[in-house]
Amino acid sequence: MKKILAFVLILTMVFALAACGNSNSSESDSSQGGSSAALSQTEPSSTPEETPSSSEDVTQTEEPSESEPEAGSNALVVYFSWSGNTEAVANEIAAQTGADVFEITPAEPYTDDYDTLLDIAQEEKASDARPAIAETVEDFAQYDVVYFGFPNWWGDMPMILYTFLDDYDFSGKTIAPFVTSGGSGFSSTISAIESLEPDATVVDGLSLSSSAAAEPSDEVTEWLSPAGLTE
């Protein structure tokens, strides 16, 4: 009987020890699980790569613009023409040099009658007239070279050319004169231009007869190059 009681007591102790061991294991697992959860909450999350704002995108991709050079010419063809001969030469000079063109147009147009024109021209010369010009040159100062063309009237420039010389400052500029005539050439007009524009450089001019003015290409080419007026 004592043996039976002892066996029962031993079994009771075994069960009690087993129950205690299971309780400690559960507490340990619970404690480890709580520690793991705390770590996952406190660890910083990975930071995504930063992307530039829209304004930064524009700043990074926008290329600086290049300013375009201003268009324009440093040479000007100024001319007066009644019959069209001087105009033909002026247009040829412009074609070969790329110069701008300004036609001197009287505010009060001249007559179309040749004989009447001769009388008007003689009267203007005798009175040292300065006929008014209808238009003006914009920014005349920008031009370094001025091709200056006219017909020979009574051994002189038409007086409206004197108006132009009076109205504009040619200081520091190069004047390249050209004339059309029936055979008189420049007469005394070169010295007149030099006298009126002492601060300008007057180069050798081009003189063409009325017939040569109709096809002036070769003569213009031969004149421009030796005078240093073309590259």
Side-chain angles (χ1 to χ4, degrees):
M1 185 66 179
K2 291 180 178 180
K3 290 180 179 181
I4 293 172
L5 290 174
F7 179 73
V8 172
L9 182 60
I10 291 171
L11 288 177
T12 301
M13 292 176 66
V14 169
F15 286 127
L17 290 173
C20 182
N22 289 336
S23 176
N24 290 339
S25 176
S26 297
E27 290 177 359
S28 176
D29 290 344
S30 175
S31 174
Q32 291 177 0
S35 175
S36 177
L39 286 173
S40 65
Q41 291 175 3
T42 58
E43 286 179 358
S45 61
S46 61
T47 303
E49 294 182 2
E50 294 182 358
T51 57
S53 65
S54 59
S55 60
E56 289 173 338
D57 278 335
V58 172
T59 302
Q60 293 177 358
T61 59
E62 182 179 356
E63 296 181 358
S65 60
E66 296 182 0
S67 59
E68 295 292 334
E70 297 183 359
S73 171
N74 71 335
L76 176 68
V77 178
V78 175
Y79 75 95
F80 168 76
S81 183
W82 179 79
S83 66
N85 292 332
T86 307
E87 181 178 26
V89 180
N91 289 336
E92 183 62 32
I93 293 171
Q96 293 194 27
T97 63
D100 294 337
V101 178
F102 178 80
E103 179 181 5
I104 298 175
T105 304
E108 183 179 345
Y110 285 113
T111 178
D112 292 333
D113 182 75
Y114 180 73
D115 291 332
T116 303
L117 178 68
L118 290 178
D119 293 338
I120 293 173
Q122 192 171 33
E123 291 172 2
E124 288 182 346
K125 179 178 172 64
S127 63
D128 197 25
R130 295 292 186 272
I133 299 173
E135 305 292 339
T136 58
V137 178
E138 294 184 5
D139 194 14
F140 185 72
Q142 71 177 301
Y143 298 107
D144 299 323
V145 177
V146 179
Y147 300 94
F148 197 65
F150 49 90
N152 185 319
W153 283 3
W154 295 106
D156 202 348
M157 295 180 286
M159 299 310 294
I160 198 168
L161 274 296
Y162 285 90
T163 304
F164 192 92
L165 292 170
D166 288 347
D167 288 348
Y168 294 91
D169 181 11
F170 284 76
S171 299
K173 301 184 186 300
T174 296
I175 302 176
F178 60 99
V179 67
T180 59
S181 70
S184 301
F186 281 105
S187 298
S188 60
T189 56
I190 297 297
S191 60
I193 294 171
E194 291 173 336
S195 177
L196 290 169
E197 304 297 340
D199 296 322
T201 300
V202 182
V203 301
D204 292 338
L206 172 65
S207 176
L208 293 177
S209 66
S210 299
S211 57
E215 296 290 339
S217 178
D218 292 342
E219 287 83 355
V220 168
T221 301
E222 292 175 3
W223 171 57
L224 292 174
S225 184
L229 299 172
T230 56
E231 297 182 357

